Amino acid sequence: DIQMTQSPSSVSASVGDRVTITCRASQDISSWLAWYQQKPGKAPNLLIYAASSLQSGVPSRFSGSGSGTDFTLTISSLQPEDFATYYCQQANSFPLTFGQGTRLEIK
Amino acid sequence: QVQLQESGPGLVKPSGTLSLTCAVSGGSISSNNWWSWVRQPPGKGLEWIGEIYHSGSTNYNPSLKSRVTISLDKSKNQFSLKLSSVTAADTAVYYCARDFRDSSSKTDAFDIWGQGTMVTVSS
């Protein structure tokens, strides 16, 4: 299985801050990577697919980059509704696997 | 727009079989998409269980493969999950999701999710 490791596991930030979350794959996954946002009691919501493509309806302050084994999700200017948990997910090979999550908290 | 809705018992006895159904509305289960099950134990991360295509082809997580069956009913526009020999470790929120896949653009992501249903394994 491909292991996905996110860092940090949690981060505190303020409204207006720029935040970057990193996801590392245990082997080359090309651009087969997606990012999700999950709020408490809700299903995950797709933000980014193919490593850097913004899902329809997702604000442009969210962006993704990377290929191979190292990927980043950046939120350019945090808004109150962005405080949530973020997951990366690889789709290069089965089984599809997720990172352990990064909890973004209000400072 | 396409919506997914999970249904099934919220409580299953140990060693029993967990059975859930995902109803697809606003679109056809025979569209060019895979349909997946993902679970999330309380306070933990996401685990992919498996998927099915309208042809009946399936892919399963090897960690669960011996206990999982995913099937579909085109006449009812729904797909189902059966997980046998359950233990407390199978207690989780179970989500169904549409997996949008396009090899040419290296796209493979869960773009539509159900609201999730909590299943507790307990006697």
Side-chain angles (χ1 to χ4, degrees):
Chain A
D1 297 7
I2 296 177
Q3 306 302 315
M4 306 300 293
T5 304
Q6 292 181 228
S7 60
S9 294
S10 65
V11 58
S12 296
S14 301
V15 173
D17 284 354
R18 179 184 181 91
V19 171
T20 296
I21 298 169
T22 297
C23 179
R24 176 163 289 176
S26 60
Q27 63 188 71
D28 189 338
I29 61 168
S30 185
S31 297
W32 294 94
L33 185 99
W35 289 97
Y36 301 86
Q37 175 193 69
Q38 187 179 34
K39 296 181 179 180
K42 299 294 186 182
N45 181 50
L46 177 64
L47 301 174
I48 301 286
Y49 61 91
S52 60
S53 296
L54 191 68
Q55 172 70 348
S56 176
V58 174
S60 59
R61 62 181 180 273
F62 290 93
S63 64
S65 65
S67 66
T69 61
D70 294 317
F71 302 86
T72 59
L73 173 69
T74 299
I75 309 172
S76 60
S77 179
L78 275 173
Q79 298 302 300
E81 60 268 30
D82 299 338
F83 292 94
T85 300
Y86 293 84
Y87 293 93
C88 61
Q89 175 242 323
Q90 67 82 19
N92 179 76
S93 62
F94 293 113
L96 307 180
T97 50
F98 294 85
Q100 82 279 13
T102 294
R103 185 174 179 181
L104 177 52
E105 301 174 317
I106 301 174
K107 183 181 289 185
Chain B
Q1 71 280 20
V2 176
Q3 293 183 311
L4 306 179
Q5 179 67 59
E6 305 91 348
S7 62
L11 181 65
V12 182
K13 295 187 185 304
S15 78
T17 297
L18 178 160
S19 297
L20 297 174
T21 296
C22 181
V24 180
S25 60
S28 174
I29 200 169
S30 295
S31 60
N32 188 29
N33 295 288
W34 288 78
W35 305 92
S36 276
W37 289 96
V38 177
R39 70 179 182 179
Q40 185 171 37
K44 297 187 178 182
L46 300 161
E47 178 181 34
W48 177 74
I49 298 170
E51 64 180 11
I52 191 165
Y53 194 62
H54 63 75
S55 64
S57 295
T58 55
N59 293 298
Y60 297 132
N61 192 324
S63 68
L64 299 168
K65 187 174 183 178
S66 64
R67 300 193 289 131
V68 171
T69 301
I70 297 176
S71 59
L72 60 82
D73 186 334
K74 292 182 183 179
S75 67
K76 294 182 178 179
N77 215 38
Q78 64 186 32
F79 61 107
S80 299
L81 168 70
K82 290 189 184 298
L83 181 65
S84 63
S85 304
V86 296
T87 70
D90 295 310
T91 294
V93 175
Y94 285 76
Y95 296 101
C96 57
R98 186 178 79 171
D99 186 348
F100 174 66
R101 189 167 295 168
D102 176 19
S103 297
S104 64
S105 62
K106 297 187 178 180
T107 296
D108 187 340
F110 302 112
D111 64 339
I112 299 173
W113 296 69
Q115 64 184 24
T117 187
M118 180 68 199
V119 179
T120 301
V121 178
S122 175
S123 56

